[in-house]
Each structure stands twice: as C-alpha cells, then as structure tokens.
Amino acid sequence: LFDVTELQRIDAARPAPAPWRVAPILAGPVAGDAVEAAHNPATGEKIGDVVLSSVADVETALASAAPWDAPAETRAEVLNRTADLYERNFGTLFALLATEAGKTLPDAVAELREAVDFLHYYAAGARGQAHGPRGIFTCISPWNFPLAIFTGQIAAALATGNAVLAKPAETTPAIAAWGVRLMHEAGVPRTALQLLPGHGSVIGAALTSDARVNGVAFTGSTATARHIQRAMAGACEPGTPLIAETGGLNAMVVDSTALPEQAVRDIVASAFQSAGQRCSALRCLYVQEDVAGTIREMLIGAMDELALGDPWELATDVGPVITPAARDGIAAYVDAAEAEGRLIHRLAAPPQGTFVAPSLISVGGIRDLEREVFGPVLHLATFRARDLAQVIADVNATGYGLTFGLHTRIDDRVQQIADAVQAGNIYANRNQIGAVVGSQPFGGEGLSGTGPKAGGPHYLARFTRAPGPRANIRPEGKADTARIAA
Ligand code: UN1
C-alpha cells in the first residue's frame, strides 16, 4: 500500500501541513462562532485554527440537508473513489494524525487502512441494501480514531442514502475536514455531507434534539451516550435509532498454561499501544498465581523496552496522550495509587509535551477499578485456579462488555470462558485491540454500546427504514381507507 520512498518524502516535508485553518463545511452560508487554536499534543506547538460552529450553523445544515438519492451503485462507486483518494493523500493524513492526534506512524498506518476498509465494506453493503434511508443522520465521532471511526460512521450513513451532519471530536477537526474534502471531491453532494466542528456543550443539543434528525451514530463515553439518548427522546420521532459505541473496563485472563512470551507481548500491545487510548484497551490483567511472578517480571522488562516520544519517529512505541488535562488526570490517578503503595512499575515520561509514562498498578481485582482510566495504565491482579468462575463473575458485574482477552493452552477453556463472559469482542491467545472490518467487527454489550457491530453484516440495516407496506390494499384492488398506514 505504501511506498518507502513516499514515506521518506513526507518525512522530509515535516512538519506538514501546518498551520491550517478549519471552518464548518456547510451547504449554505457559514455563520461561525469563536476561533480556537489547535495544538500538537507532543510538543504543545500551535498547529492551526478552528472556526467553531454555532447553533445557527447547525440550523443551516439541518435546513439544507437532503438524503443522497443517487442509485446505490453510484453511492458505492463514490465511496470506493473516496477510499482511493484517502490512499493517495496518505502523506497529509499521516502528518495530521501525528500532529493533531499524536498517533504513532504504525497507528496512523492502521488507522488509514481501517478507514479505507470501512469505505470499501460499506460500499459493497450499499449494493445489497434493499431498504430506504432514514433521512438525516448526526454522526458524532471520537478523537482517538479521528479518521477511522469518523469515516466509518459517515460511510455507513451515506452508503444507505442518508444525509449526514458530522460533528468531529473537539481536538481533531483538521483530520475530519480533510476527510470531508476528499469525500466531496469523490462525488458526495454537499447537501448529503456537512461538517460541524465545535463543542458538544454548544452544538450537541441542536444536533441531537431536533425532530428533523432521523438517527444518531455516536462513539464516546457512556455518560455522553446517556445524555444523547435523553435529548433524542425529548425531540425525535419514537424509534429514532441511537447507534452507540461507548466505554469499557476490559480484562484479560492469563492462566498457568499460557505461553509467557506470547502473553507478555500481547499484554503490552493491549495495554500500552496508542498510549492506552482505545476503548478496547486492556485495563485489568488477571494472572494465575503460580505464574504471576514470572509474568510480572517479564512484563516489567518488556515495559522498560518501550520507547516514548515523538510519534513521528519510527522507533516510537508510545506517543503522547491527547491533551494536558488528560495527562494531568491520568498522572494524578497513578500518583494516588503510588501513595497507597500499589504502584508496581512506572517508566519515565519525556518532560515536554503531554506524555504519560506507562505504569503497572496492583489491584485485588476488577472491582477495585472505579472507572475507565483512558491512558497507559494497567492494573494487575492474581487469581487461584478455583476462583476463575468468580473472576469471570466480577468482570461481568462491571456492567461493561467491550473486549475480553484470554491466554491459555487448554482448548476447552477458550469456549467455556467465551460462553461465560459478556463482552462484544473476545480474543484468545492474541492481543485484544485492533478489530478488523469485515472479519472481526467491533461493538460492545451492556454499558459498552448498543450494537450492531461496526464493520459487521448487520450494521447498515440500522441506518435504514424497513420498507413495509405503505397501504393495505383489498384483494379486489380497492383501498381500505380506514387501514391506510400514515
Ligand atoms: C475505540 O477505541 O473508541 O479494536 C473503539 C480496536 C478499535 C477500537 C475502537 N477498533 O482496538
């Protein structure tokens, strides 16, 4: 997919493409609101300006939005063309992913590939969709996958012929604007796709509590999902779908039959890749007590090998977290654990930028975790063989159900545990991040999301209306007016 000489070319051109200026992209005039500066999380440098959207801009978008009435075949071709444009613009997209979101180069490559996969997968799905669009979809996406999830939500809504109002995360408007530009260049009409960068506290209500909104796709916190659901309930037509992917409190169990080298490699990737800023990331590791000492020592050794720093350097394993506030919050959490004598190991963080050093904290079990800490913080617990059922019960009792990892060489145990754990994504003998569009669709259960899984066979149907008979006609051909459906 990528030519090494191209990588050298973009490396020579860095830092690109700053400074930029991003504004709402509407099918009507932009009113705008305050202008906000954007910063590179790794360095703190200013990289661009964002013209925030006002409530008036949301009104303009809603009033001008029109479902994309092109034939399914045309929509599929345009989405495939968008994927080609994404690939051709990879230099700019990588630079934006590194400078605006702090993504390491391997994470940026994976993110672009996932966005491209979503476009192709939903393009293929569009061709087989028999049902009509719902109308207008609001798509609210997170900063931790500012290209992949942003593109996936929009591609699903567009593939099925809806109009989209896209609100990117507050910290990643430039990546979103590039994506929207490329979608428009590929042939998506402006009335079918409009971009509203801004703050949820200002424009969130206008985007979700309006009778003209026929569906919302959301990825973010469980608390925000609840808030959106209440907003929609007060204004939207009953049955208007909220398709939400939310938080997690994810565990992995390593039993004494596991291959330690493989388990440790997968633990490190699951907990610390992307600086732990994935809702799928491993938060609570349970190791069977007879191998706990070995795994713990190997894990500390592997943590010491992690390189923290400039996400643009190929050698970097862990980049920055998203904002100074996120850094301070995570660091305070780890400091509190240290004060309680529960800190097992912590690396040193670079002094500049919003870096958080990966850390390992001792806990009795997942019940000791009060909330999801969205960073490179791993909790370690041990269990005795006879307590395995209790471990699974405790994991289920969190109410979350996003990812679960298992390392064992007992074949029967894989199926037993997979049957007992309530989680959307269960991974055995591999890492527990990095779902794959098509072959490993991603979604949560319980507090972790509504389903259906993104990148799976049932996702597009939620963006459509079942056709249903418009009217009940008597066999002899006369309409029974009393029974004509509205
Ligand atoms: C998220 O972190 O918001 O499988 C969800 C994975 C990713 C997770 C995306 N698809 O690691």
Side-chain angles (χ1 to χ4, degrees), residues 114 142 144-145 149 219 245 277-280 427 433-435 442:
E114 190 176 359
N144 68 336
F145 287 92
I149 294 180
T219 299
E245 282 177 53
Q277 299 174 109
R278 294 188 185 222
C279 58
S280 53
Y427 298 109
I433 56 169
F442 186 80

Side-chain angles (χ1 to χ4, degrees), residues 392-471:
I392 303 303
D394 288 349
V395 168
N396 287 340
T398 64
Y400 290 97
L402 202 48
T403 69
F404 181 85
L406 173 65
H407 269 274
T408 181
R409 280 185 280 180
I410 304 172
D411 288 342
D412 287 350
R413 182 164 276 176
V414 175
Q415 197 54 52
Q416 280 164 8
I417 292 191
D419 289 343
V421 171
Q422 288 148 25
N425 302 77
I426 296 174
Y427 298 109
N429 298 328
R430 51 154 283 179
N431 64 44
Q432 69 192 82
I433 56 169
V436 181
V437 174
S439 60
Q440 292 168 349
F442 186 80
E445 296 178 4
L447 296 174
S448 295
T450 59
K453 293 183 180 184
H458 310 296
Y459 195 63
L460 286 188
R462 284 295 277 154
F463 290 79
T464 67
R465 263 179 226 283
R470 300 288 299 161

Side-chain angles (χ1 to χ4, degrees), residues 45 49 76 88 101 112 119 131 135 146 197 222 251 332 336 348 393 427 436 439 474:
E45 302 170 307
D49 283 309
R88 266 188 260 154
L112 176 61
L119 286 160
H131 303 170
T222 304
Y427 298 109
V436 181
S439 60
R474 283 190 167 179

Side-chain angles (χ1 to χ4, degrees), residues 4-31:
V4 174
T5 53
E6 273 292 287
L7 279 176
Q8 285 162 348
R9 190 179 61 73
I10 58 165
D11 192 45
R14 74 175 184 152
W20 41 258
R21 187 179 175 87
V22 164
I25 302 176
L26 305 179
V30 172

Side-chain angles (χ1 to χ4, degrees), residues 251 253 255 286 288 366-367 382-398 404 406 413 416-422:
V253 166
D255 76 13
Y286 281 94
Q288 194 170 334
I366 202 163
R367 294 154 72 108
T382 58
F383 71 96
R384 291 170 298 187
R386 64 174 179 276
D387 296 333
L388 184 55
Q390 187 58 48
V391 168
I392 303 303
D394 288 349
V395 168
N396 287 340
T398 64
F404 181 85
L406 173 65
R413 182 164 276 176
Q416 280 164 8
I417 292 191
D419 289 343
V421 171
Q422 288 148 25

